């Protein structure tokens, strides 16, 4: 009976060891792993330099409306603190200023339908109305 338990335990350990190797890689791969930095608040050129200095690459940059300083990173895909292989690309979202929109004058006193039409022509939508 104890022989069966021992054989079963050995098999379980062998499986766990193979999973561990798959997850973490060899010692040389672990030594080569790079920790992804927090790129928020950096400009695109600064983010590229930081990544390059750590043997990583800048991937896609996409704009995102944000209250942060325009042109700075506000998000990234490969989270900071994550461990990745050298050469991995990191995508970032860059703050872009929210567009200023001028609201037409003279809408006070118009019907709701007239105001909606006027705003619709400007590609604006009335979201909230109060009586």
């Amino acid at each position: 009976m104890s022989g069966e338990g021992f054989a079963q335990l050995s098999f379980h350990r062998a499986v766990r060891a193979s999973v561990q190797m798959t997850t973490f890689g060899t010692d040389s791969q672990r030594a080569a792993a790079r920790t992804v930095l927090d790129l928020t608040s950096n400009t695109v050129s600064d983010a590229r330099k930081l990544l390059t200095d750590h043997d990583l690459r800048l991937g896609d940059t996409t704009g995102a409306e944000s209250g942060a300083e325009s042109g700075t990173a506000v998000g990234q895909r490969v989270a900071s603190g994550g461990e990745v292989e050298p050469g991995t690309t990191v995508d970032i979202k860059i703050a872009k200023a929210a567009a200023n929109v001028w609201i037409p004058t003279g809408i006070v006193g118009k019907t709701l339908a007239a105001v909606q039409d006027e705003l619709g022509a400007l590609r604006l939508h009335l979201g909230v109305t109060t009586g």
Side-chain angles (χ1 to χ4, degrees), residues 111-129:
T111 66
L112 178 59
V115 171
Q116 287 174 326
D117 288 344
E118 195 169 337
L119 294 176
L122 297 171
R123 295 186 178 181
L124 300 173
H125 302 282
L126 187 58
V128 178
T129 60

Side-chain angles (χ1 to χ4, degrees), residues 36-42 44 47 51 58 60-66 68 72-80 90-95:
V36 178
L37 304 170
D38 180 4
L39 301 173
T40 55
S41 301
N42 284 287
V44 174
L51 291 168
L58 180 61
D60 293 333
T61 58
T62 55
E65 285 190 13
S66 171
T72 60
V74 293
Q76 64 190 72
R77 191 176 54 90
V78 180
S80 64
V90 178
D91 300 333
I92 58 175
K93 289 185 179 183
I94 302 297

Side-chain angles (χ1 to χ4, degrees), residues 39-111:
L39 301 173
T40 55
S41 301
N42 284 287
T43 64
V44 174
S45 60
D46 289 342
R48 180 179 286 114
K49 181 172 179 1
L50 284 167
L51 291 168
T52 301
D53 290 349
H54 289 86
D55 202 17
L56 300 171
R57 297 182 317 154
L58 180 61
D60 293 333
T61 58
T62 55
E65 285 190 13
S66 171
E69 183 180 346
S70 184
T72 60
V74 293
Q76 64 190 72
R77 191 176 54 90
V78 180
S80 64
E83 298 239 340
V84 296
E85 295 178 16
T88 298
T89 58
V90 178
D91 300 333
I92 58 175
K93 289 185 179 183
I94 302 297
K96 63 180 183 179
N100 290 327
V101 178
W102 294 100
I103 304 297
T105 59
I107 60 173
V108 175
K110 291 186 178 180
T111 66

